[in-house]
């Protein structure tokens, strides 16, 4: 009897040990996930998507992973971030436009409580969650203390370092934050680099810190990290030694660079040689002050190459920690190249360079930067906004590269950020996951969208997407998992992908794309219930992805059917607000 009892005890212990080992194996099998997003970059701005800008790290991730040729964002920073973080279309989250409250369900200026972030979904599944960089899904900074409920730490992230609102100096960012507290580059006790502080470097370096801390504090758990760069959004700020690496590359002008990118995209297999390139928007030969314009693009390129180096540090940190094989790294962009121009400045003395004017008191180390467009740098020198008297790059300047170079960034497509033509909504997507993605250097041609990222992460992590969260009903996911696309090039069972921003509207259904004709950024139709039928254009994406041949007159029934489908979607998702 005693032997029998002893046998039962032994069997029970063996079963318990086996179960524990299985749980540990399951724990270690779950991948780490790093989601990297850049800001205001065009489809062809990285090397593995056609660029002359050297991005060896991103190129290497693509070479050892997969690239998507037809992945879509929402055409603008805030809606893209809302969609990316929640797996919903922007107006479903409450952030259908920007961070101002329009008192309409889809346009409250922030992600609401009827959606959850990736971090909020992963934390209950045992993931640690970290973020560095640009947040930009909370309302404008009025009554700041009451609005922290929508900051990263209150939306599922264990640690956060970055900026709450969007654009700003890369030398002294507006709303720089650690955790829940505003800081400055000079008074942060946790990060003081040996070289001059630069935001792109700070985003990368703090990501490295979080990986180290994770290894020390939570090595037995998987982690999710969101790395949200502000490169290459204006202002054109970059270290001088980085800009020097691109000196002279753009002296030949717009058309020459576009043509080289176009041919490289064809050679890479990302576009069809039968797609004509979109119209050139400016003639370099007639431009005044070519040196200044070329410098703007050199600074822009430097912002991208510096970001690539930072991503390289993250990759090497993972490799050194033995984490690279089972980490899914995703890279994408929030919208197409940006045609925005900033206000030009003038002075009473036309020969005086604004950047040489020290007209302000130096800022204290603990004095917060409170302006998106700062009038001065920390040393007290005046900041020149889009002045042709000073060259882009330093903290004494605040430049954008404008529509002409944005046209180059978006090669070969039409339009820019703001619009839902391909130039506004097309993004690279690189997926790197050595343990699961075996089809190296492959191109995936299935149309995908930001809404698919959440569904994919839920799928691979074993997390459960909730019906309720904090006693709030949560919208069902709208995206599709990309796991089968990553591993086996499977088709995506999807009816359509939808777009809307500022009245610019679109619908991608199979090979067809319906898009509203190009309007200015004023949002002409946003608060109306119907868009006139003759304001829709129809394109065959297999034959004409550059959207140069409008087939709407040849297929009026298709236009009508797709327009009605868009209307139904818009109504269901709060994309069309009810009139006040």
């Amino acid at each position: 009897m005693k032997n029998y009892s002893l046998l039962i005890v032994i069997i029970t212990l063996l079963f318990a040990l086996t179960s524990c080992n299985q749980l540990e194996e399951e724990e270690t099998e779950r991948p780490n996930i790093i989601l990297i997003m850049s800001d205001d970059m065009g489809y062809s701005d990285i090397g593995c998507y056609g660029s002359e800008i050297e991005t060896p790290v991103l190129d290497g991730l693509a070479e050892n992973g997969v690239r998507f040729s037809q992945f879509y964002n929402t055409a603008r920073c805030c809606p893209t971030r809302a969609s990316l973080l929640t797996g919903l279309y922007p107006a479903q989250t409450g952030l259908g436009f920007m961070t101002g409250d329009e008192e309409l369900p889809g346009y409250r200026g922030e992600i609401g409580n009827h959606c959850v972030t990736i971090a909020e979904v992963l934390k209950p599944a045992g993931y640690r969650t970290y973020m560095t960089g640009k947040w930009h899904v909370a309302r404008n900074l009025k009554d700041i203390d009451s609005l922290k409920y929508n900051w990263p730490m209150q939306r599922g992230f264990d640690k956060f370092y970055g900026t709450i609102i969007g654009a700003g100096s890369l030398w002294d960012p507006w709303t720089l934050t650690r955790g829940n507290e505003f800081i400055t580059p000079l008074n942060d006790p946790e990060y003081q680099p040996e070289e001059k502080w630069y935001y792109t470097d700070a985003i990368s370096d703090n990501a490295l810190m979080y990986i180290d801390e994770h290894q020390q504090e939570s090595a037995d758990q998987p982690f999710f990290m969101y790395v949200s760069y502000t490169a290459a959004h204006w202002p054109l700020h970059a270290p001088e030694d980085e800009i020097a690496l691109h000196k002279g590359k753009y002296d030949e002008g717009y058309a020459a660079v576009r043509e080289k990118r176009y041919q490289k995209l064809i050679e890479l297999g990302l576009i069809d040689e039968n797609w004509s390139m979109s119209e050139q928007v400016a003639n370099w030969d007639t431009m005044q002050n070519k040196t200044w314009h070329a410098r703007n693009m050199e600074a822009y390129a430097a912002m991208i190459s510096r970001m690539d180096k930072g991503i390289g540090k993250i990759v090497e940190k993972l490799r050194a920690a033995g984490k690279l094989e089972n980490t899914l790294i995703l890279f994408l962009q929030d919208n197409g190249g940006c045609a925005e121009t900033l206000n030009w400045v003038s002075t009473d003395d036309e020969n005086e360079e604004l950047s040489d004017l020290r007209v302000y008191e130096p800022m204290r180390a603990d004095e917060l930067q409170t302006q998106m467009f700062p009038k001065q740098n920390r040393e007290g020198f005046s900041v020149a906004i889009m002045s042709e008297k000073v060259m882009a790059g330093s903290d004494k300047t605040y430049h954008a590269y404008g529509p002409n170079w944005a046209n180059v960034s978006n090669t070969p497509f039409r339009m820019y950020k703001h619009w839902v033509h391909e130039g506004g909504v097309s993004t690279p997507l690189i997926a790197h996951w050595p343990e699961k993605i075996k089809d190296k250097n492959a191109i995936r041609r299935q149309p995908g969208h930001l809404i698919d990222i959440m569904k994919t992460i839920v799928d691979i992590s074993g997390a459960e997407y909730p019906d309720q969260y904090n006693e709030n009903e949560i919208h069902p996911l709208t995206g599709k998992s990309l796991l089968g696309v990553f591993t086996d090039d499977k088709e995506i069972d999807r009816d359509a992908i939808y777009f809307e921003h500022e009245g610019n509207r679109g619908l991608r259904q199979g090979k067809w794309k319906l898009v509203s004709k190009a309007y200015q950024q004023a949002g002409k139709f946003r608060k109306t219930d119907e868009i006139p039928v003759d304001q829709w254009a129809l394109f065959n994406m297999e034959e004409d992805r550059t959207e140069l041949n409008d087939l709407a007159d040849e297929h009026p029934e298709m236009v009508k059917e797709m327009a009605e489908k868009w209307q139904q979607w818009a109504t269901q998702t709060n994309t069309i607000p009810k009139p006040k």
Side-chain angles (χ1 to χ4, degrees), residues 524-566:
K524 181 175 180 180
F525 291 109
R526 177 166 351 133
K527 294 181 182 178
T528 66
D529 286 335
E530 297 288 344
I531 183 169
V533 172
D534 63 356
Q535 297 300 335
W536 288 109
L538 180 69
F539 300 103
N540 183 330
M541 293 285 103
E542 291 182 357
E543 298 177 358
D544 174 37
R545 194 176 164 206
T546 48
E547 300 171 305
L548 301 179
N549 184 22
D550 181 5
L551 303 176
D553 290 342
E554 297 179 25
H555 302 281
E557 290 303 315
M558 184 179 295
V559 171
K560 183 176 183 295
E561 178 184 330
M562 291 178 71
E564 289 174 352
K565 181 175 286 191
W566 186 94

Side-chain angles (χ1 to χ4, degrees), residues 157-196:
F157 286 94
D158 294 312
K159 297 182 181 182
F160 169 67
Y161 173 87
T163 42
I164 300 299
I165 294 296
S169 169
L170 276 77
W171 298 112
D172 187 18
W174 182 37
T175 73
L176 185 64
T177 302
R178 184 175 293 284
N180 279 320
E181 301 301 325
F182 287 135
I183 57 172
T184 75
L186 300 179
N187 74 351
D188 180 6
E190 297 189 35
Y191 177 68
Q192 290 298 323
E194 293 182 5
E195 298 182 359
K196 184 175 180 180

Side-chain angles (χ1 to χ4, degrees), residues 35 125 127 162 204 367 410 430 449 511 574:
L35 181 55
Y127 275 73
S204 303
E367 186 177 349
N410 294 335
I430 298 169
H449 190 276
K511 70 178 183 179
N574 293 323

Side-chain angles (χ1 to χ4, degrees), residues 61 312-325 432:
L61 293 176
K313 293 179 183 178
I314 296 171
V315 171
E316 289 309 309
K317 178 70 71 172
L318 292 170
R319 195 190 311 276
K323 300 288 187 181
L324 185 60
E325 289 296 306
H432 180 272

Side-chain angles (χ1 to χ4, degrees), residues 43 49 68-73 332-334 425-429:
Y43 184 78
Y49 278 80
F68 283 64
S69 64
Q70 298 190 83
F71 206 79
Y72 289 113
N73 51 44
L332 69 166
Q333 299 164 188
D334 67 344
V425 295
S426 297
T427 173
L429 175 66

Side-chain angles (χ1 to χ4, degrees), residues 166-174 230 233-235 237 371-374 398:
S169 169
L170 276 77
W171 298 112
D172 187 18
W174 182 37
T230 56
H233 194 296
W234 52 258
H237 283 167
Q371 296 177 332
M372 181 185 294
F373 293 84
Y398 209 94

